[in-house]
Amino acid sequence: MGDYISAALDFVKRHRKAIVGFVAGTVAAVTAIKPDFPGAAVMNAVHVILGA
C-alpha cells in the first residue's frame, strides 16, 4: 500500500499545475451554476495543500 501512496504523491508533485487548472475549471463551472458555492475558499485550500 505504501507504494501506491508514494506513487500518488509523486504524481501530484509532478503535475501540480494541471491539477490546479482542473480544480479551477471545476470550481468555475460549479460557481456558475451555484453562485453561493465558496469557490475562493476551495481555491485557497488547493493552493495551500499543493503549495502551488
Side-chain angles (χ1 to χ4, degrees):
M1 178 129 163
D3 292 336
Y4 294 115
I5 293 172
S6 63
L9 292 174
D10 186 45
F11 177 84
V12 169
K13 288 178 185 175
R14 288 185 284 129
H15 298 95
R16 285 182 183 168
K17 289 183 182 181
I19 294 169
V20 170
F22 175 78
V23 172
T26 304
V27 167
V30 171
T31 304
I33 295 168
K34 188 176 178 188
D36 59 334
F37 180 75
V42 171
M43 288 307 298
N44 286 338
V46 168
H47 282 289
V48 167
I49 291 169
L50 294 179

